[in-house]
Structure formats: C-alpha cells, structure tokens
Amino acid sequence: MTDWLRAAGSSGDGEWDVRIRPGDPGWSHTGLYAVTLAPGESRTVDTGDCEWIVLPLWGSATVDTDGQRFELLGRAGVFAGPSDLVYVPRDSWFTVSSTAGARIALPLAVARTAYPPRYLAAADVPVELRGAGAATRQVHNFGTPGVLEADSIIACEVITPAGNWSSYPPHKHDEERHGRETALEEIYYMEVSPTGGADAASREGIAYLRNYGTEAAPIDTLAEVRSGDVVLIPHGWHGPAMAPPGYDLYYLNVMAGPGATRAWLICDDPAHAWVRDTWADQVTDPRLPFGR
C-alpha cells in the first residue's frame, strides 16, 4: 500500500507541499504540485516538457506567464463549486502569487505540443451529477477533452457526499484498445471535510480508496486517506472511493498516458458493471450540487 499512497507532506520539499513528477519511480506521464502560499508569497515554475494547470483549491491568485497576466478569482474551498484556472504550455514558465494567501494545485502531464496559455472561467466549467442514489457524485470537468484544449492532460474534480461511493463501479484505463479503452495513469489528490456539529472543523476526516489489479498486472491497495493525501493509480481496477457517513470527500484527478489520442475511455470491472443499470430507478442525491 505504501508504494502508491503519499501521505500529506511526505512527497513535498521546502518549496512544495506535494511534488510528484513524471520520472519519479514507477511514474511516467503525470504529475501534481500543491502549495499553500502565504500572503504576498509566490512560486515560479519552468514548465519543461510538461503542460500545467494552475487551479486554486482555496483563495485567489495571479498567474504571470510569458508577458501575460491572469487574475484567478478562486473560491472559498473545494466544496464551494468550481474554480477558474489557467493553462500553461510546455517549454514556458509561469509565476503564481497571492496577495491574501491561497492553496494552489498544479496538475501537469508530459506534452508533445505546446498550446497557447489561456484562462477558463469558473462559469465555463461543466458541472456533472454522475450516478444516482448512494453512488451520486458531483464532477467538475474543467480539464477534460472538449472543455480544455490540451495535448495530453485530462483532469477533473469529484465531490462525494458523506455516505456515498464514487469511482464506482470499479473501472480501469490501462490498455490502448481502439474506441474502447485508453491507457492512462492517474493521480488522486484528496480533501475530506467533517460534516455537522459545532466542532466539525476540529475533527480530522477519513475516507477510503480501493485499487486492485489483474492477473497480468497485479496491485492491491486499500488506502485510508485524509486531507492532503495523494494516491497513485498506475494500472488496474480502481474504485470505489468511499466517503464514510459524517465526512464529505473531494478529490482531484490527473490523468495522461502514452497514446496519441487524448481521450478518457474506461472499462468497468465485469463483476460489478451491472450496478450502473440500477441507477435508472434511483433519484439523484438531493444534497448535490455543492456550491449551488
């Protein structure tokens, strides 16, 4: 389990809280940086051979890149709805700063082509309610094909209300099968929020994430996760992501792979694929959408 779980603070250094890059052991295509900027603080990044997204988790920020400046309004927190963001291409640089302080996530992926820098407003992020009943979750498709023009990176946010399951049925995307499945490694960055009660903010939330393999590519992870933890999914079936009663779950997904086509095509575990058919007779969880 510890091969693929990065507990909060364990993957960072003096500059970044989270620092995962292509080229790390067992990792090839995707990465994630995260940092909490104090008021007036900044970070500068040489993008190298990767394309990057600057995504406020909370707070607002300014992004300067190659003579352009983008003001990010940000948000109060990850459960407050989508944020605006900036895309920065490979072979470039950017500086992210915050006047009042902010926590910033920086998803990245190896890219072959450099697309122009651009800003995406929060109002232009599609919000999807996926599943039904106890499998209802909220998806912010800010970095998916058809929404964000990019070379390889695919990214989204998922909110799972307390007591619900997401990344379900278990599915995989670790083979290139034309029109059916794409090979994508995946990063999960987690935040957990206790719900209810006057002392909720003082409690530490927990959630769980499952990843299991095939005979050809075995893996066996069942991770108890907390805010700031990262789980790497190199291959295999993954899901469910479980939000226990009393704890809302947020995660940021970052995906990319070796294929020439940028697409998120998945294959459900045949043992559990039938669950999708039950959603037609269930209602969407009325607690969603968050940030309405």
Side-chain angles (χ1 to χ4, degrees):
M1 182 181 70
T2 54
D3 289 343
W4 305 112
L5 171 65
R6 305 289 188 268
S10 67
S11 66
D13 52 28
E15 190 176 12
W16 302 95
D17 302 329
V18 176
R19 188 169 188 158
I20 296 168
R21 285 192 60 93
D24 288 351
W27 214 243
S28 302
H29 307 287
T30 58
L32 177 69
Y33 284 30
V35 64
T36 301
L37 296 174
E41 198 174 13
S42 66
R43 297 288 188 276
T44 298
V45 172
D46 180 341
T47 63
D49 64 353
C50 293
E51 55 190 358
W52 297 63
I53 295 172
V54 183
L55 176 72
L57 299 177
W58 58 259
S60 59
T62 300
V63 180
D64 293 289
T65 176
D66 285 345
Q68 299 184 68
R69 170 164 286 189
F70 302 95
E71 298 290 346
L72 293 176
L73 299 177
R75 53 188 167 182
V78 295
F79 296 98
S83 176
D84 51 354
L85 57 97
V86 170
Y87 167 91
V88 185
R90 60 167 291 162
D91 301 320
S92 182
W93 64 271
F94 66 89
T95 296
V96 56
S97 58
S98 179
T99 300
R103 183 161 176 82
I104 308 295
L106 302 166
L108 62 130
V110 175
R112 295 167 290 267
T113 303
Y115 289 84
R118 63 198 165 277
Y119 170 85
L120 182 67
D124 294 328
V125 175
V127 176
E128 173 190 1
L129 298 187
R130 188 177 297 168
T136 311
R137 58 275 204 182
Q138 175 175 330
V139 184
H140 302 159
N141 290 302
F142 68 86
T144 53
V147 177
L148 183 71
E149 186 180 27
D151 179 85
S152 63
I153 194 168
I154 299 173
C156 66
E157 299 175 307
V158 180
I159 295 175
T160 310
N164 282 15
W165 293 30
S166 58
S167 288
Y168 194 74
H171 58 280
K172 74 179 184 73
H173 39 72
D174 57 11
E175 298 178 81
E176 287 290 334
R177 297 189 295 156
H178 182 69
R180 299 177 62 191
E181 185 178 354
T182 44
L184 303 167
E185 64 184 21
E186 185 167 10
I187 297 172
Y188 278 69
Y189 168 83
M190 326 293 287
E191 295 281 352
V192 185
S193 177
T195 63
D199 62 342
S202 66
R203 296 195 294 270
E204 182 180 40
I206 59 170
Y208 297 88
L209 179 61
R210 179 81 169 110
N211 179 202
Y212 56 99
T214 62
E215 290 186 7
I219 190 171
D220 188 3
T221 299
L222 177 57
E224 182 175 287
V225 295
R226 294 169 170 78
S227 289
D229 288 356
V230 176
V231 180
L232 306 181
I233 308 291
H235 57 259
W237 311 106
H238 45 286
M242 297 162 272
Y247 303 103
D248 293 327
L249 171 63
Y250 160 96
Y251 52 85
L252 166 63
N253 286 143
V254 188
M255 294 173 277
T261 301
R262 179 176 174 243
W264 183 55
L265 301 179
I266 68 170
C267 173
D268 285 339
D269 183 341
H272 307 292
W274 64 271
V275 172
R276 287 189 188 272
D277 297 332
T278 68
W279 294 345
D281 298 324
Q282 301 179 50
V283 299
T284 300
D285 191 318
R287 293 174 291 177
L288 296 176
F290 282 26
R292 61 169 62 89

